[in-house]
């Protein structure tokens, strides 16, 4: 199981992700979805360590779902963008 921690929430310019699944040898995929289900961001990360920073300054104010996938494991969390 992957446990995610996101901060700050609400976010302004960047959201930070901390996961229990730290592995610098495996790739991970981060996807962000708007409340209507539309994918608004897609990041592939490799060689990550404890914390991953994802820029969200291009997103409008609102509620989003962040999905973190590594291999067959997926974890999701809601976050807010507020300026």
């Amino acid at each position: 199981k992957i446990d995610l921690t996101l901060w700050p929430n609400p976010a302004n310019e960047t959201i930070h992700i901390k996961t229990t699944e730290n592995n610098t040898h495996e790739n991970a995929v981060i996807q962000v979805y708007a409340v209507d289900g539309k994918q608004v961001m897609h990041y592939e990360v490799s060689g990550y360590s404890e914390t991953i920073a994802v820029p969200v300054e291009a997103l409008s104010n609102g509620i989003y779902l962040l999905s973190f996938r590594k291999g067959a494991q997926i974890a999701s969390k809601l976050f807010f963008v507020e300026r």
Side-chain angles (χ1 to χ4, degrees), residues 58-70:
L59 298 177
S60 301
N61 287 353
I63 302 169
Y64 297 89
L65 177 72
L66 182 139
S67 173
F68 181 91
R69 184 182 70 203
K70 187 178 92 170

Side-chain angles (χ1 to χ4, degrees), residues 2 18-29 45-52 68-71 73:
I2 299 175
K18 183 173 182 174
T19 173
T20 56
E21 291 297 314
N22 299 325
N23 188 330
T24 58
H25 302 294
E26 290 190 43
N27 295 339
V29 175
V45 292
S46 61
Y48 64 94
S49 57
E50 274 192 28
T51 303
I52 302 166
F68 181 91
R69 184 182 70 203
K70 187 178 92 170
Q73 296 182 332

